[in-house]
Amino acid sequence: MLLRKNSFFVSLILLLAALSCESFAVDNRSALARQNYILNCQGCHLADGAGSKDKVPRLTDFVAYFLYVEGGREFILQVPGAANAPINDGELADVMNWLLRNFSGEQLPENFVPYSSDEVGKLRKEPMIDIISRRATLIKRIQDKIGISVDGLSG
């Protein structure tokens, strides 16, 4: 009987330890993603993702709209600042997922699929050509599909 009780408590302790390690790993990835945002993105997009009017697109309450239109998911990963960030594919996937959830969580599509390191690696190899024209095309698609008038740049 005593052995059975001890086995139960040992199993319970091991289960709780495993769950806390998993939680720590998720929290650690989120913390690293935030740190990578600070080091690689915040200089232009600012700490709150607000960007700079008419110069740097805002992320806050806007960036997830790109996920609603064809080519938008690829675009936000292929902008030069993201594609050329000095972090590995898994870290960039974590940064993109973190910033989408933290700066534009209310705009995320219900069927949002987080970026994976494999997807990031593939898209990083495809250079973006004519970013201004491509962005304008995507913004027009977003405006037509979602019915918003903002462009994430002018305010």
Side-chain angles (χ1 to χ4, degrees), residues 58-67 72 76 96 99-100 103-104 107 142:
R58 72 181 163 101
L59 305 172
T60 307
D61 300 327
F62 189 80
V63 69
Y65 286 134
F66 282 100
L67 301 174
I76 60 175
M96 297 305 291
L99 72 83
L100 284 162
F103 292 138
S104 199
Q107 293 76 33
I142 291 168

mmCIF file of all heavy atoms in Angstrom, residues 58-67 72 76 96 99-100 103-104 107 142:
data_model
loop_
_atom_site.group_PDB
_atom_site.id
_atom_site.type_symbol
_atom_site.label_atom_id
_atom_site.label_comp_id
_atom_site.label_asym_id
_atom_site.label_seq_id
_atom_site.Cartn_x
_atom_site.Cartn_y
_atom_site.Cartn_z
ATOM 1 N N ARG A 58 3.363 50.325 -39.902
ATOM 2 C CA ARG A 58 3.040 49.882 -38.551
ATOM 3 C C ARG A 58 2.657 48.416 -38.571
ATOM 4 O O ARG A 58 2.122 47.910 -39.559
ATOM 5 C CB ARG A 58 1.947 50.745 -37.941
ATOM 6 C CG ARG A 58 0.566 50.543 -38.500
ATOM 7 C CD ARG A 58 -0.428 51.489 -37.805
ATOM 8 N NE ARG A 58 -1.648 51.608 -38.565
ATOM 9 C CZ ARG A 58 -2.761 50.959 -38.268
ATOM 10 N NH1 ARG A 58 -2.804 50.165 -37.236
ATOM 11 N NH2 ARG A 58 -3.831 51.116 -39.005
ATOM 12 N N LEU A 59 2.931 47.770 -37.491
ATOM 13 C CA LEU A 59 2.543 46.381 -37.287
ATOM 14 C C LEU A 59 1.271 46.330 -36.443
ATOM 15 O O LEU A 59 0.407 45.485 -36.659
ATOM 16 C CB LEU A 59 3.669 45.620 -36.578
ATOM 17 C CG LEU A 59 5.041 45.663 -37.254
ATOM 18 C CD1 LEU A 59 6.099 45.030 -36.354
ATOM 19 C CD2 LEU A 59 4.997 44.994 -38.607
ATOM 20 N N THR A 60 1.170 47.260 -35.494
ATOM 21 C CA THR A 60 0.081 47.278 -34.524
ATOM 22 C C THR A 60 -1.280 47.370 -35.204
ATOM 23 O O THR A 60 -1.521 48.256 -36.017
ATOM 24 C CB THR A 60 0.258 48.477 -33.563
ATOM 25 O OG1 THR A 60 1.572 48.424 -33.025
ATOM 26 C CG2 THR A 60 -0.753 48.425 -32.443
ATOM 27 N N ASP A 61 -2.142 46.417 -34.852
ATOM 28 C CA ASP A 61 -3.523 46.376 -35.357
ATOM 29 C C ASP A 61 -3.611 46.394 -36.881
ATOM 30 O O ASP A 61 -4.602 46.848 -37.440
ATOM 31 C CB ASP A 61 -4.354 47.542 -34.781
ATOM 32 C CG ASP A 61 -4.427 47.510 -33.263
ATOM 33 O OD1 ASP A 61 -4.429 46.399 -32.697
ATOM 34 O OD2 ASP A 61 -4.459 48.595 -32.648
ATOM 35 N N PHE A 62 -2.577 45.900 -37.549
ATOM 36 C CA PHE A 62 -2.603 45.932 -39.013
ATOM 37 C C PHE A 62 -1.924 44.745 -39.695
ATOM 38 O O PHE A 62 -2.458 44.186 -40.645
ATOM 39 C CB PHE A 62 -1.969 47.235 -39.529
ATOM 40 C CG PHE A 62 -2.159 47.413 -41.005
ATOM 41 C CD1 PHE A 62 -3.361 47.885 -41.496
ATOM 42 C CD2 PHE A 62 -1.167 47.076 -41.905
ATOM 43 C CE1 PHE A 62 -3.568 48.010 -42.865
ATOM 44 C CE2 PHE A 62 -1.362 47.196 -43.265
ATOM 45 C CZ PHE A 62 -2.568 47.670 -43.747
ATOM 46 N N VAL A 63 -0.750 44.357 -39.251
ATOM 47 C CA VAL A 63 0.073 43.419 -40.016
ATOM 48 C C VAL A 63 -0.641 42.101 -40.333
ATOM 49 O O VAL A 63 -0.437 41.524 -41.404
ATOM 50 C CB VAL A 63 1.443 43.178 -39.330
ATOM 51 C CG1 VAL A 63 1.298 42.405 -38.040
ATOM 52 C CG2 VAL A 63 2.406 42.491 -40.285
ATOM 53 N N ALA A 64 -1.512 41.629 -39.471
ATOM 54 C CA ALA A 64 -2.198 40.354 -39.726
ATOM 55 C C ALA A 64 -3.166 40.429 -40.897
ATOM 56 O O ALA A 64 -3.535 39.390 -41.456
ATOM 57 C CB ALA A 64 -2.917 39.868 -38.475
ATOM 58 N N TYR A 65 -3.570 41.633 -41.301
ATOM 59 C CA TYR A 65 -4.443 41.750 -42.477
ATOM 60 C C TYR A 65 -3.783 41.159 -43.721
ATOM 61 O O TYR A 65 -4.465 40.686 -44.624
ATOM 62 C CB TYR A 65 -4.817 43.207 -42.744
ATOM 63 C CG TYR A 65 -5.832 43.780 -41.784
ATOM 64 C CD1 TYR A 65 -5.631 45.034 -41.221
ATOM 65 C CD2 TYR A 65 -6.991 43.091 -41.438
ATOM 66 C CE1 TYR A 65 -6.563 45.584 -40.345
ATOM 67 C CE2 TYR A 65 -7.916 43.628 -40.560
ATOM 68 C CZ TYR A 65 -7.703 44.873 -40.021
ATOM 69 O OH TYR A 65 -8.624 45.410 -39.157
ATOM 70 N N PHE A 66 -2.467 41.177 -43.784
ATOM 71 C CA PHE A 66 -1.774 40.606 -44.942
ATOM 72 C C PHE A 66 -2.080 39.115 -45.096
ATOM 73 O O PHE A 66 -2.023 38.576 -46.204
ATOM 74 C CB PHE A 66 -0.255 40.823 -44.833
ATOM 75 C CG PHE A 66 0.178 42.205 -45.194
ATOM 76 C CD1 PHE A 66 0.453 43.133 -44.209
ATOM 77 C CD2 PHE A 66 0.305 42.587 -46.519
ATOM 78 C CE1 PHE A 66 0.850 44.422 -44.529
ATOM 79 C CE2 PHE A 66 0.704 43.872 -46.857
ATOM 80 C CZ PHE A 66 0.973 44.797 -45.862
ATOM 81 N N LEU A 67 -2.411 38.455 -44.006
ATOM 82 C CA LEU A 67 -2.684 37.015 -44.059
ATOM 83 C C LEU A 67 -4.004 36.682 -44.746
ATOM 84 O O LEU A 67 -4.262 35.526 -45.056
ATOM 85 C CB LEU A 67 -2.672 36.436 -42.637
ATOM 86 C CG LEU A 67 -1.367 36.623 -41.861
ATOM 87 C CD1 LEU A 67 -1.522 36.139 -40.431
ATOM 88 C CD2 LEU A 67 -0.203 35.942 -42.552
ATOM 89 N N GLY A 72 0.139 37.723 -49.293
ATOM 90 C CA GLY A 72 0.411 38.525 -48.104
ATOM 91 C C GLY A 72 1.258 37.809 -47.067
ATOM 92 O O GLY A 72 2.143 38.403 -46.450
ATOM 93 N N ILE A 76 5.052 39.481 -45.849
ATOM 94 C CA ILE A 76 5.531 39.981 -44.554
ATOM 95 C C ILE A 76 6.771 39.243 -44.068
ATOM 96 O O ILE A 76 7.519 39.756 -43.242
ATOM 97 C CB ILE A 76 4.427 40.001 -43.463
ATOM 98 C CG1 ILE A 76 3.860 38.621 -43.195
ATOM 99 C CG2 ILE A 76 3.343 40.983 -43.834
ATOM 100 C CD1 ILE A 76 2.852 38.585 -42.050
ATOM 101 N N MET A 96 8.050 36.151 -36.133
ATOM 102 C CA MET A 96 6.860 36.476 -36.933
ATOM 103 C C MET A 96 5.589 36.065 -36.194
ATOM 104 O O MET A 96 4.624 36.835 -36.138
ATOM 105 C CB MET A 96 6.934 35.804 -38.304
ATOM 106 C CG MET A 96 8.101 36.260 -39.164
ATOM 107 S SD MET A 96 8.169 38.048 -39.424
ATOM 108 C CE MET A 96 6.743 38.279 -40.458
ATOM 109 N N LEU A 99 5.120 38.492 -33.180
ATOM 110 C CA LEU A 99 4.648 39.846 -33.498
ATOM 111 C C LEU A 99 3.226 39.832 -34.040
ATOM 112 O O LEU A 99 2.441 40.741 -33.758
ATOM 113 C CB LEU A 99 5.616 40.605 -34.402
ATOM 114 C CG LEU A 99 5.762 40.241 -35.880
ATOM 115 C CD1 LEU A 99 4.698 40.883 -36.735
ATOM 116 C CD2 LEU A 99 7.126 40.699 -36.368
ATOM 117 N N LEU A 100 2.859 38.811 -34.788
ATOM 118 C CA LEU A 100 1.471 38.720 -35.261
ATOM 119 C C LEU A 100 0.510 38.607 -34.080
ATOM 120 O O LEU A 100 -0.513 39.284 -34.045
ATOM 121 C CB LEU A 100 1.301 37.534 -36.211
ATOM 122 C CG LEU A 100 1.849 37.762 -37.614
ATOM 123 C CD1 LEU A 100 2.040 36.433 -38.342
ATOM 124 C CD2 LEU A 100 0.924 38.684 -38.401
ATOM 125 N N PHE A 103 1.057 42.103 -31.709
ATOM 126 C CA PHE A 103 0.754 43.412 -32.281
ATOM 127 C C PHE A 103 -0.538 43.427 -33.081
ATOM 128 O O PHE A 103 -1.123 44.482 -33.293
ATOM 129 C CB PHE A 103 1.893 43.902 -33.175
ATOM 130 C CG PHE A 103 3.154 44.239 -32.428
ATOM 131 C CD1 PHE A 103 4.381 43.870 -32.927
ATOM 132 C CD2 PHE A 103 3.120 44.918 -31.221
ATOM 133 C CE1 PHE A 103 5.557 44.178 -32.248
ATOM 134 C CE2 PHE A 103 4.283 45.235 -30.529
ATOM 135 C CZ PHE A 103 5.508 44.859 -31.049
ATOM 136 N N SER A 104 -0.972 42.267 -33.561
ATOM 137 C CA SER A 104 -2.134 42.241 -34.444
ATOM 138 C C SER A 104 -3.006 41.021 -34.178
ATOM 139 O O SER A 104 -3.639 40.484 -35.083
ATOM 140 C CB SER A 104 -1.639 42.262 -35.903
ATOM 141 O OG SER A 104 -2.630 42.658 -36.794
ATOM 142 N N GLN A 107 -6.625 40.883 -35.355
ATOM 143 C CA GLN A 107 -6.831 40.799 -36.795
ATOM 144 C C GLN A 107 -6.447 39.428 -37.364
ATOM 145 O O GLN A 107 -6.691 39.163 -38.538
ATOM 146 C CB GLN A 107 -6.000 41.885 -37.521
ATOM 147 C CG GLN A 107 -6.441 43.297 -37.254
ATOM 148 C CD GLN A 107 -6.016 43.818 -35.893
ATOM 149 O OE1 GLN A 107 -4.969 43.473 -35.372
ATOM 150 N NE2 GLN A 107 -6.866 44.639 -35.285
ATOM 151 N N ILE A 142 -6.184 43.973 -49.731
ATOM 152 C CA ILE A 142 -6.678 43.997 -48.347
ATOM 153 C C ILE A 142 -7.863 44.950 -48.248
ATOM 154 O O ILE A 142 -8.900 44.610 -47.669
ATOM 155 C CB ILE A 142 -5.552 44.410 -47.367
ATOM 156 C CG1 ILE A 142 -4.490 43.322 -47.278
ATOM 157 C CG2 ILE A 142 -6.129 44.722 -45.987
ATOM 158 C CD1 ILE A 142 -3.207 43.759 -46.580
#
